[in-house]
Amino acid sequence: MEIAATSTEYIKVTATSKAGGSSVNPAAAPKFAFQPTSATGNPAPEDWLTGEWAAPHARILIGPNGGVTTLALGEYRVWVTWAAGLETPVYRAGTLTVY
């Protein structure tokens, strides 16, 4: 995905939880992390930002006009996590270029 640094918009990731083949509605909000592509390892606890559910997407509003965060120019790895029963999956969900 590519967005302008001056844009405020939702970053959406399709994310579903299933138990026994049936979809489960997670109680906790999803969390996102944006790491420069040069970073190695998983995000640190302080890197995570709280998003929201808009089924079947986890989403977070980013940008200078009311976004949860504003990203500088660059290329980022997008990470998403959420609590799903006893599990807490953590996924790299792609890259984001801010121009």
Side-chain angles (χ1 to χ4, degrees):
M1 177 177 219
E2 295 184 350
I3 64 169
T6 54
S7 181
T8 299
E9 59 187 280
Y10 283 102
I11 301 301
K12 296 186 278 187
V13 174
T14 301
T16 59
S17 295
K18 293 192 178 211
S22 298
S23 293
V24 175
N25 291 329
K31 294 188 182 278
F32 288 80
F34 300 93
Q35 287 186 314
T37 55
S38 60
T40 59
N42 291 322
E46 63 271 12
D47 294 333
W48 293 103
L49 305 167
T50 302
E52 64 186 18
W53 292 108
H57 299 103
R59 70 181 188 176
I60 189 167
L61 187 65
I62 66 167
N65 297 316
V68 173
T69 191
T70 300
L71 299 173
L73 300 176
E75 191 168 315
Y76 298 87
R77 284 192 186 97
V78 179
W79 294 76
V80 64
T81 186
W82 67 94
L86 298 176
E87 298 179 324
T88 306
V90 177
Y91 294 107
R92 260 191 342 212
T95 58
L96 172 67
T97 301
V98 179
Y99 59 90

